[in-house]
Amino acid sequence: MRDLLPGEIELWQHVEGLARELFGRFGYGEVRTPMAEDTGLFVRSVGEETDIVGKEMYTFDDKGGRSLSLRPEGTAPAARAYIEHAINNKEPITRWFYMGPMFRYERMKTGRYRQFYQIGAEAYGSKEAAQDAEMMDMVVQFLGALELKDVTLNLNSLGDEACRPAYHAKLVEYLQAHREELCEDCKRRMETNPLRVLDCKNPTCQAVAAAGPNVLEFLCEPCRAHFDDLQRKLTVLGIKYVVNPRMVRGLDYYTRTVFEFIASHPALGTASTVGGGGRYDKMMKGLGGPDVPAVGFAMGLDRLVLLLKESGRTFTSPPDLFVAVADEGSQDAALALASRLRREGLRVDFDTRGGSLKSQMKRADKSGARFTLVLGEAERTSGQAKLKPMAGGDAIPVALDDVAKTLRAARLATAQAGPT
Ligand code: ATP
Ligand code: MG
């Protein structure tokens, strides 16, 4: 778990801000659920045999003797809230997004943390492929807005309760034949939850899985039609994808569509999946809620920020002005000037320690402020001062009453001239 400090946080705010704005355009409203939930919620939805529930949860008993877990993902808490507030009685289709920390006890490395952040969305109430396509379109537009390139959409269908049993049976039969090549975990998973073997990170298990039966060959007619429909719609939307029949994702609740967005950037190492999701038409009912189909995804904010950092773009906004004080007697006037300019919408830096003009000018330089204004007795008496451009060039004479106006005009001129 780590601290995020100014200097880096602007990247996070940029990503979060884009998500809020863009998801809003698609009609998604934000939900905030508690950091901790009843442990049973995750066991019953994410699945007991998944790495997340089996190995990675921060689980503890509270003082009332209840078992709680820090949320390892956002889909189950959102579903719990949807059920608890009987949202299905209020509207037929619901679009929610969330962002915030998730907790998994994993081995720390680049792009993998114990407290990490997700931005995710859930659409409840439509079982149609159009909903899946719309959601992927939203992710594609989001990655586009972030100017992240080289991200591939991987697509698969896991079938439903009608066709998955046949695939399961075939998979188990195949895995039995390769039992000795599997890791100890997978030997167990084979009995309890064979799909999980396909998600094992062990290279030998992956090799076994790769040569196993292809889930797409087992899809029943309605699942096949849904998958075909989805691909057609992605093509209509101009979204490129690859079909990957080995992709199952690390959670148990998926039916039919699953997808992942994978970045090919060396900065991420093996943590190259920036986001993923899928359809979970049976989960609500399984949690004791209404029979409502749903589809959702979650993006790893940490990994998006890593990629953005690699792009070298910066999102910090330096102060518009540094107010320096020429003499002891002008200290209060400078404090008041800074206050007024901030009220007028400007970013103003001011050294509250006072000190020599020379040391203040050093601070001004360091602050990255575009202009410095020195306030002394002369300026106070005349009501006139000078805006000194820190990048060099001639000082601009300005009436103390017009500082905000002049600086705003300068800001505008820079914005129109484009980035330097
Ligand atoms: P992985 O295969 O990388 O472990 P996952 O399948 O466990 O990912 P999901 O549960 O689908 O991941 O979570 C969605 C996204 O959240 C991931 O694609 C990833 O970007 C991010 N994510 C998951 N776990 C972590 C973590 N420990 N640290 C940082 N980001 C994470
Ligand atoms: Mg994982």
Side-chain angles (χ1 to χ4, degrees):
M1 298 182 188
R2 64 220 205 280
D3 302 312
L4 303 170
L5 305 179
E8 181 182 346
I9 205 75
E10 293 79 6
L11 285 162
W12 293 73
Q13 291 169 337
H14 175 73
V15 181
E16 291 163 358
L18 279 180
R20 279 211 173 81
E21 201 277 321
L22 180 71
F23 294 5
R25 272 191 248 163
F26 278 80
Y28 285 76
E30 183 174 354
V31 286
R32 298 189 190 183
T33 63
M35 293 298 139
E37 297 270 356
D38 175 58
T39 300
L41 172 67
F42 300 110
V43 175
R44 283 180 290 129
S45 55
V46 175
E48 194 141 29
E49 269 299 328
T50 59
D51 280 354
I52 296 177
V53 169
K55 300 178 182 167
E56 298 171 355
M57 278 210 298
Y58 283 88
T59 300
F60 59 96
D61 288 339
D62 75 358
K63 293 204 195 300
R66 308 172 195 89
S67 177
L68 299 184
S69 293
L70 296 184
R71 61 180 192 192
E73 58 100 58
T75 297
R80 198 258 319 128
Y82 180 93
I83 296 167
E84 197 169 313
H85 299 276
I87 304 296
N88 62 307
N89 291 336
K90 299 174 185 151
E91 54 191 23
I93 292 216
T94 299
R95 291 182 176 88
W96 281 357
F97 79 92
Y98 59 85
M99 52 177 84
M102 305 294 162
F103 304 85
R104 294 183 196 174
Y105 193 79
E106 296 205 67
R107 224 187 293 278
M108 278 275 291
K109 54 184 169 196
T110 309
R112 203 172 281 290
Y113 313 96
R114 290 179 175 173
Q115 175 172 334
F116 64 102
Y117 295 79
Q118 282 186 342
I119 299 184
E122 318 289 344
Y124 308 103
S126 169
K127 60 179 183 12
E128 301 304 324
Q131 188 61 65
D132 309 22
E134 184 201 79
M135 185 161 266
M136 289 177 216
D137 185 33
M138 186 162 89
V139 179
V140 167
Q141 290 197 30
F142 180 52
L143 295 171
L146 286 169
E147 296 178 38
L148 295 179
K149 296 176 192 78
D150 303 320
V151 182
T152 310
L153 168 58
N154 275 244
L155 202 62
N156 195 18
S157 175
L158 299 179
D160 63 7
E161 72 283 2
C163 52
R164 207 185 291 178
Y167 168 66
H168 258 216
K170 196 75 184 179
L171 182 63
V172 172
E173 188 189 309
Y174 169 81
L175 292 173
Q176 289 285 7
H178 294 267
R179 195 187 153 84
E180 288 322 307
E181 296 155 56
L182 299 175
C183 72
E184 288 311 308
D185 277 344
C186 282
K187 282 185 183 132
R188 192 190 65 244
R189 287 178 184 134
M190 196 170 77
E191 319 280 343
T192 53
N193 192 341
L195 266 189
R196 292 275 65 85
V197 175
L198 275 65
D199 200 43
C200 183
K201 301 284 191 282
N202 185 317
T204 6
C205 297
Q206 280 179 359
V208 172
N214 179 341
V215 65
L216 295 175
E217 286 165 14
F218 289 81
L219 294 186
C220 58
E221 177 42 36
C223 285
R224 167 50 63 188
H226 191 274
F227 196 47
D228 288 347
D229 192 20
L230 172 59
Q231 293 181 68
R232 218 170 19 245
K233 287 183 159 69
L234 290 177
T235 306
V236 167
L237 292 170
I239 295 171
K240 291 198 187 65
Y241 62 90
V242 294
V243 172
N244 174 1
R246 312 292 156 196
M247 191 224 330
V248 294
R249 314 228 349 95
L251 307 96
D252 272 355
Y253 48 63
Y254 293 116
T255 44
R256 293 192 171 165
T257 314
V258 286
F259 58 96
E260 269 182 1
F261 285 86
I262 299 172
S264 61
H265 198 290
L268 291 180
T270 53
S272 56
T273 308
V274 291
R279 182 160 275 290
Y280 51 99
D281 292 344
K282 299 292 154 206
M283 187 172 104
M284 285 288 186
K285 194 137 187 249
L287 287 175
D291 195 3
V292 171
V295 57
F297 74 86
M299 313 276 292
L301 189 44
D302 311 70
R303 294 180 192 178
L304 294 175
V305 166
L306 269 170
L307 288 175
L308 215 55
K309 233 188 240 172
E310 287 299 311
S311 76
R313 294 160 65 207
T314 53
F315 299 92
T316 43
S317 7
D320 299 295
L321 180 72
F322 188 95
V323 175
V325 191
D327 48 63
E328 195 67 44
S330 301
Q331 186 76 25
D332 289 353
L335 181 65
L337 175 66
S339 163
R340 198 182 80 217
L341 294 174
R342 288 165 180 153
R343 203 187 302 276
E344 291 177 290
L346 293 171
R347 303 171 68 89
V348 180
D349 195 2
F350 168 63
D351 193 337
T352 50
R353 299 168 306 173
S356 73
L357 191 55
K358 194 167 153 223
S359 73
Q360 291 180 66
M361 291 311 280
K362 252 194 217 152
R363 279 270 314 175
D365 243 340
K366 242 189 143 165
S367 76
R370 295 193 52 214
F371 294 94
T372 296
L373 181 153
V374 179
L375 192 73
E377 207 188 328
E379 285 79 14
R380 283 193 288 131
T381 337
S382 65
Q384 296 289 323
K386 286 198 179 100
L387 290 172
K388 175 176 155 16
M390 298 307 281
D394 296 336
I396 308 167
V398 65
L400 283 177
D401 287 339
D402 290 341
V403 175
K405 210 168 76 194
T406 310
L407 284 175
R408 255 196 297 274
R411 223 198 234 170
L412 211 64
T414 326
Q416 275 159 2
T420 49

Short mmCIF file of all heavy atoms in Angstrom, two decimals, residues 51-52 56 104 106 112 201, ligand 2:
data_model
loop_
_atom_site.label_atom_id
_atom_site.label_comp_id
_atom_site.label_asym_id
_atom_site.label_seq_id
_atom_site.Cartn_x
_atom_site.Cartn_y
_atom_site.Cartn_z
N ASP A 51 -8.59 -16.96 -6.88
CA ASP A 51 -7.44 -16.43 -6.13
C ASP A 51 -7.88 -15.29 -5.23
O ASP A 51 -7.42 -15.17 -4.10
CB ASP A 51 -6.36 -15.91 -7.10
CG ASP A 51 -5.52 -17.05 -7.67
OD1 ASP A 51 -5.71 -18.20 -7.21
OD2 ASP A 51 -4.71 -16.79 -8.57
N ILE A 52 -8.79 -14.47 -5.75
CA ILE A 52 -9.21 -13.29 -4.99
C ILE A 52 -9.77 -13.71 -3.63
O ILE A 52 -9.32 -13.22 -2.59
CB ILE A 52 -10.28 -12.49 -5.78
CG1 ILE A 52 -9.67 -11.93 -7.06
CG2 ILE A 52 -10.86 -11.36 -4.93
CD1 ILE A 52 -10.65 -11.19 -7.95
N GLU A 56 -6.49 -13.82 -1.47
CA GLU A 56 -6.07 -12.41 -1.51
C GLU A 56 -6.88 -11.45 -0.64
O GLU A 56 -6.55 -10.28 -0.55
CB GLU A 56 -6.12 -11.91 -2.97
CG GLU A 56 -5.16 -12.68 -3.88
CD GLU A 56 -5.30 -12.37 -5.36
OE1 GLU A 56 -6.21 -11.60 -5.75
OE2 GLU A 56 -4.50 -12.90 -6.14
N ARG A 104 -6.26 -6.29 -2.18
CA ARG A 104 -5.96 -7.72 -2.39
C ARG A 104 -4.56 -7.98 -1.87
O ARG A 104 -3.63 -7.23 -2.18
CB ARG A 104 -6.02 -8.08 -3.89
CG ARG A 104 -7.40 -7.97 -4.48
CD ARG A 104 -7.44 -8.41 -5.94
NE ARG A 104 -8.66 -7.94 -6.58
CZ ARG A 104 -8.92 -8.08 -7.88
NH1 ARG A 104 -8.04 -8.67 -8.68
NH2 ARG A 104 -10.05 -7.62 -8.37
N GLU A 106 -1.63 -9.36 -2.48
CA GLU A 106 -0.87 -9.92 -3.59
C GLU A 106 0.59 -9.60 -3.40
O GLU A 106 0.96 -8.75 -2.60
CB GLU A 106 -1.33 -9.28 -4.91
CG GLU A 106 -2.77 -9.56 -5.26
CD GLU A 106 -3.01 -9.46 -6.75
OE1 GLU A 106 -2.48 -10.31 -7.48
OE2 GLU A 106 -3.73 -8.54 -7.17
N ARG A 112 1.14 -3.91 -9.56
CA ARG A 112 0.40 -4.83 -8.68
C ARG A 112 0.60 -4.40 -7.24
O ARG A 112 1.72 -4.42 -6.74
CB ARG A 112 0.92 -6.26 -8.90
CG ARG A 112 -0.07 -7.33 -8.50
CD ARG A 112 0.40 -8.71 -8.91
NE ARG A 112 0.17 -9.02 -10.33
CZ ARG A 112 -1.03 -9.22 -10.86
NH1 ARG A 112 -2.10 -9.17 -10.11
NH2 ARG A 112 -1.16 -9.49 -12.14
N LYS A 201 -1.63 -18.80 -13.14
CA LYS A 201 -0.49 -18.02 -13.66
C LYS A 201 0.74 -18.91 -13.91
O LYS A 201 1.71 -18.47 -14.52
CB LYS A 201 -0.13 -16.90 -12.67
CG LYS A 201 -1.27 -15.92 -12.37
CD LYS A 201 -1.51 -14.94 -13.51
CE LYS A 201 -2.46 -13.80 -13.12
NZ LYS A 201 -3.88 -14.19 -13.11
MG MG B 2 -5.39 -10.92 -10.01
#
